[in-house]
Amino acid sequence: MCGIIGYVGDRKVTEVLIKGLKRLEYRGYDSSGIAVFTNDRIEVTKAAGKIAEMETRVAGFDMAGTHGGIGHTRWATHGAPNTTNAHPHRVGDIVLVHNGIIENFREIQEEVFRRGFKPQSETDSEMFAFLVHFEMERGTEFVEAVRKSFLKVQGASSIVVMHEKFPGLIVGVRNGSPLVVGCDGELGGVAMASDVQPLLDYTDRVAFLENGDMAICTAKGIEFLDAASGRRIERPFAKIEWSADRLDKNGYPHYMLKEIHEQSRTIIDTLAAAIGPSSGSLPFEMVNEDGIRAIIDADRVSMVACGTSWHASLLGKYWFERFAGISTDSELASEFRYRSPVLSKRHLVMGVSQSGETADTLAVLQQMKERGVETMAVTNVKGSSIARVVDYPYFMCCGPEIGVASTKAFTGQMLMLYIMANRLQRGAAMSDPTGALMDALVKRHRQTYELPHHLSRVLDDGGATMCALEKAVQDVQHSKGFFFMGRGYSWPLALEGALKLKEIAYVHAEGYAAGELKHGPIAMLEPAITVVVVAPRDQWYEKTISNLQEVKARGARIVALGHAGDEKLAAMADHFVPLPLAEEQLDESLLPFLIAPVLQLFAYRIAVLKGTDVDQPRNLAKSVTVE
Ligand code: F6R
């Protein structure tokens, strides 16, 4: 969950480290620190709070004679988020940063106390520095000491270590948490980080460390070692298609707003990546048909995911069942991994994960591989742990998502699952040849793109949807609590609308299947509560309207989202937010792609009015690599 950066070379070291950490801040932001090789020593600077706090402490730092360093942005697991617990940690000459968890840290700590040392922090990370220190006391050379220490720790971790007597040398080890390295194409030197984003300023060619790998980095280059044997190994360098300019806000006040508005484009990009440039015609094939064949051979699919990705997978379940006629479950990875799931003979397990690093989702996929079950993933990050562990990785094409609250990656996941479901079209449920649906998605594929065209109209600032949304938000922003409700496709959307509001506006919100409200939560309804109902004119519409009557009778405020011109719905609502299209213009199965961004903006606007930190909400981190 933390972000790591390391650099050796001739650039201004503190600038490289701080810029890199800012690119990684989405991974954790409760404290940060850097350690820099100066002429004959290592200078450590740390601070609680955002990176900006630490940055003020290094302002004016004398950069002459610096030639490398490491940095860290933290999401606390062991010990409070204060300056002492912030990384880098130092024991003697050893200085390190760590991402992940050292599960056997208590045993190491006992040895540390036994030997009469007193750790400075409450972290598990500092224990690794002691291990290396003890190894070197026994006469082991530095790199070998890191290697031997690495073999002693349990749990998923990445650690980058430097030694005061070896300026210009940094050693990275990976077991679980990601670590990626690249050579500076312009000035020489080497950079290493928890993901590719900090490296994009210097290179588009990177190597991903495998679990059990070590990378020995100097300004001259990188040497890879297999930690278990200590032998030299080769690791391939891959070209990264993301460019550094996609990491900027491009004039938007927040990444989240930029990313919401990018969705018309990311839908086109994901569509093009999934079905290829030649697929304007139907029926279509996907660019990668291997996974499709595996699903066709399967008798059951279990999708596993967490948070927003789980909501996308719930929609995937609806589409897989309706279009592909295949028995599909959508499971929370954190539950699935500790249950005793009964697997069918030809079961296929699919992970859905934006980052490709989420610990619970990864663990399920690893377990399934061990049991010989076929695995697949839908993710946004090439080279991620999940992408590398599964048999069939599928990539959305959303570009980096920096806002901690997932937006464009959510619709990207939905789209990939939608395309797969339509490609599969094998079930008896297929009364409508899915050709018609794909036609609605890709119609005039080369010119206007049907779905993104509608989405642009939804997101148009002066348009009917946004104007109505803004009025609603202004009116309900101080509500005591929110319920989001919907049926069918709108149920996962209701869950997602509530999650977005909770995570960025810190307001209590719950998502409910509209039919469930009367089984308990209806007791909470009163005028200070707002109910956001997602009620497009789809097959569930009349049922949703009946449920809405029950809500209205209890006096809650109602914000309703539905098709433009729906007077019945508008009459029941305090605020009616219209989707600017007629019912017959788009199949109901595609409406989630228009509704999700409206709910994202609902949460975004309330958060902005409340003045919260939209891009980096408290207590969260984007890449949840602990369970
Ligand atoms: C919420 C959000 C999280 C993630 C969840 C899984 O906006 O982003 O709920 O969806 O932590 O993350 P990934 O998709 O990376 O597996």
Side-chain angles (χ1 to χ4, degrees):
M1 307 271 279
C2 309
I4 288 180
I5 175 98
Y7 171 74
V8 273
D10 292 334
R11 291 181 187 266
K12 290 181 175 164
V13 176
T14 49
E15 280 179 21
V16 172
L17 297 179
I18 287 172
K19 191 172 174 192
L21 287 180
K22 285 185 177 168
R23 299 253 198 253
L24 295 171
E25 199 168 18
Y26 73 89
R27 299 178 72 88
Y29 35 81
D30 58 40
S31 53
S32 64
I34 59 171
V36 176
F37 286 118
T38 61
N39 287 324
D40 55 358
R41 59 200 170 86
I42 293 175
E43 191 76 48
V44 178
T45 311
K46 335 198 255 190
K50 296 278 180 72
I51 289 166
E53 300 292 325
M54 187 263 296
E55 195 177 3
T56 54
R57 299 193 186 186
V58 278
F61 188 84
D62 181 9
M63 225 99 69
T66 60
H67 33 262
I70 57 179
H72 189 268
T73 180
R74 180 168 188 247
W75 187 87
T77 55
H78 294 65
N82 55 31
T83 305
T84 314
N85 290 330
H87 301 214
H89 293 289
R90 177 177 202 135
V91 173
D93 288 336
I94 311 295
V95 179
L96 63 72
V97 289
H98 168 226
N99 172 28
I101 291 186
I102 296 176
E103 286 170 0
N104 55 335
F105 91 101
R106 291 240 173 263
E107 289 158 37
I108 307 169
Q109 203 177 47
E110 276 163 26
E111 188 187 343
V112 167
F113 285 125
R114 237 186 355 260
R115 288 182 176 224
F117 288 91
K118 194 172 172 308
Q120 286 170 17
S121 74
E122 301 158 81
T123 66
D124 51 342
S125 316
E126 191 182 348
M127 295 307 118
F128 192 83
F130 277 106
L131 282 183
V132 181
H133 181 76
F134 295 156
E135 267 308 329
M136 292 191 75
E137 274 187 345
R138 286 193 277 272
T140 314
E141 168 276 329
F142 170 52
V143 174
E144 182 62 5
V146 174
R147 187 181 79 81
K148 285 189 166 164
S149 305
F150 182 49
L151 297 180
K152 290 184 186 157
V153 293
Q154 288 157 13
S157 283
S158 278
I159 308 169
V160 182
V161 196
M162 53 206 274
H163 188 292
E164 196 151 71
K165 302 284 174 337
F166 303 102
L169 170 66
I170 57 174
V171 180
V173 289
R174 176 196 173 159
N175 184 26
S177 307
L179 206 54
V180 52
V181 285
C183 296
D184 184 342
E186 209 181 312
L187 298 185
V190 167
M192 165 187 291
S194 299
D195 77 25
V196 295
Q197 296 182 32
L199 274 49
L200 293 175
D201 291 308
Y202 316 111
T203 182
D204 62 357
R205 299 194 68 76
V206 300
F208 295 91
L209 270 69
E210 300 286 345
N211 288 339
D213 281 3
M214 298 178 68
I216 320 298
C217 306
T218 64
K220 290 199 186 107
I222 309 158
E223 187 180 271
F224 296 99
L225 297 186
D226 168 46
S229 64
R231 273 201 294 273
R232 246 190 108 154
I233 47 171
E234 296 298 322
R235 286 286 167 239
F237 280 74
K239 186 164 165 36
I240 298 299
E241 279 133 28
W242 294 356
S243 61
D245 63 350
R246 294 198 74 176
L247 305 177
D248 291 330
K249 285 193 199 140
N250 283 349
Y252 285 95
H254 298 101
Y255 281 112
M256 183 177 175
L257 188 60
K258 173 189 167 226
E259 287 160 3
I260 291 172
H261 280 272
E262 274 176 351
Q263 288 175 106
S264 306
R265 171 179 165 188
T266 52
I267 283 175
I268 295 171
D269 290 348
T270 298
L271 193 58
I275 67 176
S278 60
S279 294
S281 59
L282 300 160
F284 69 98
E285 290 211 334
M286 292 184 72
V287 166
N288 180 356
E289 282 279 302
D290 293 352
I292 295 299
R293 278 190 288 277
I295 300 177
I296 290 170
D297 288 343
D299 57 3
R300 196 162 144 213
V301 173
S302 291
M303 298 181 182
V304 292
C306 303
T308 289
S309 300
W310 179 61
H311 300 155
S313 77
L314 274 172
L315 275 156
K317 168 186 163 69
Y318 279 65
W319 291 322
F320 268 51
E321 288 176 349
R322 175 174 165 196
F323 301 133
I326 183 162
S327 162
T328 308
D329 308 312
S330 166
E331 302 261 7
L332 290 169
S334 54
E335 289 298 315
F336 191 88
R337 73 181 280 198
Y338 293 113
R339 282 214 325 260
S340 313
V342 177
L343 302 173
S344 70
K345 271 207 189 88
R346 290 177 289 122
H347 213 113
L348 183 137
V349 175
M350 180 191 293
V352 182
S353 170
Q354 180 279 129
S355 63
E357 299 295 346
T358 300
D360 286 316
T361 312
L362 177 61
V364 171
L365 295 165
Q366 281 164 334
Q367 281 174 2
M368 292 301 117
K369 281 221 84 165
E370 281 158 23
R371 290 176 66 170
V373 176
E374 291 230 275
T375 53
M376 182 180 286
V378 171
T379 178
N380 195 33
V381 183
K382 290 189 176 159
S384 59
S385 306
I386 286 176
R388 286 184 304 146
V389 96
V390 296
D391 300 310
Y392 308 104
Y394 280 79
F395 298 101
M396 304 104 78
C397 212
C398 298
E401 189 177 67
I402 315 275
V404 163
S406 186
T407 52
K408 62 177 180 173
F410 177 60
T411 45
Q413 291 166 330
M414 283 162 47
L415 182 61
M416 191 56 90
L417 296 171
Y418 186 87
I419 294 170
M420 283 178 174
N422 279 274
R423 168 66 189 89
L424 287 161
Q425 53 162 303
R426 64 169 204 183
M430 282 304 315
S431 55
D432 173 358
T434 36
L437 297 178
M438 283 307 284
D439 194 42
L441 181 61
V442 301
K443 195 157 63 180
R444 286 172 280 137
H445 184 65
R446 296 285 148 250
Q447 294 96 38
T448 51
Y449 297 97
E450 189 73 2
L451 182 65
H453 161 73
H454 289 303
L455 182 51
S456 307
R457 294 189 57 217
V458 167
L459 296 177
D460 176 7
D461 273 340
T465 315
M466 286 306 112
C467 292
L469 185 80
E470 187 57 29
K471 276 199 195 127
V473 160
Q474 294 286 348
D475 184 35
V476 303
Q477 57 175 308
H478 301 298
S479 292
K480 196 162 92 183
F482 289 79
F483 281 91
F484 288 70
M485 66 180 222
R487 281 174 172 255
Y489 301 134
S490 300
W491 171 50
L493 295 171
L495 294 175
E496 177 58 8
L499 176 62
K500 287 281 96 83
L501 191 58
K502 276 184 276 213
E503 70 176 323
I504 63 168
Y506 319 146
V507 180
H508 185 74
E510 288 192 60
Y512 257 89
E516 276 292 300
L517 223 60
K518 62 167 112 19
H519 297 289
I522 201 163
M524 296 184 68
L525 298 188
E526 45 132 327
I529 300 280
T530 293
V531 174
V532 179
V533 59
V534 183
R537 279 212 204 89
D538 57 15
Q539 57 179 298
W540 298 277
Y541 175 75
E542 291 300 342
K543 300 280 172 216
T544 310
I545 292 292
S546 306
N547 298 140
L548 189 59
Q549 299 282 12
E550 296 153 8
V551 168
K552 194 164 173 61
R554 271 75 191 178
R557 291 192 81 67
I558 297 172
V559 176
L561 185 55
H563 276 98
D566 185 344
E567 282 169 18
K568 180 157 70 169
L569 182 61
M572 292 174 77
D574 296 282
H575 293 277
F576 175 59
V577 180
L579 296 170
L581 77 169
E583 204 178 326
E584 59 282 0
Q585 277 183 283
L586 204 61
D587 185 85
E588 62 182 32
S589 63
L590 283 163
L591 292 171
F593 295 95
L594 305 185
I595 294 168
V598 178
L599 296 175
Q600 292 162 356
L601 279 165
F602 183 83
Y604 172 79
R605 286 297 306 147
I606 290 189
V608 169
L609 291 172
K610 290 196 178 294
T612 59
D613 188 341
V614 172
D615 282 334
Q616 293 175 346
R618 69 186 180 202
N619 305 340
L620 298 180
K622 193 154 185 72
S623 186
V624 185
T625 54
V626 292
E627 53 173 299

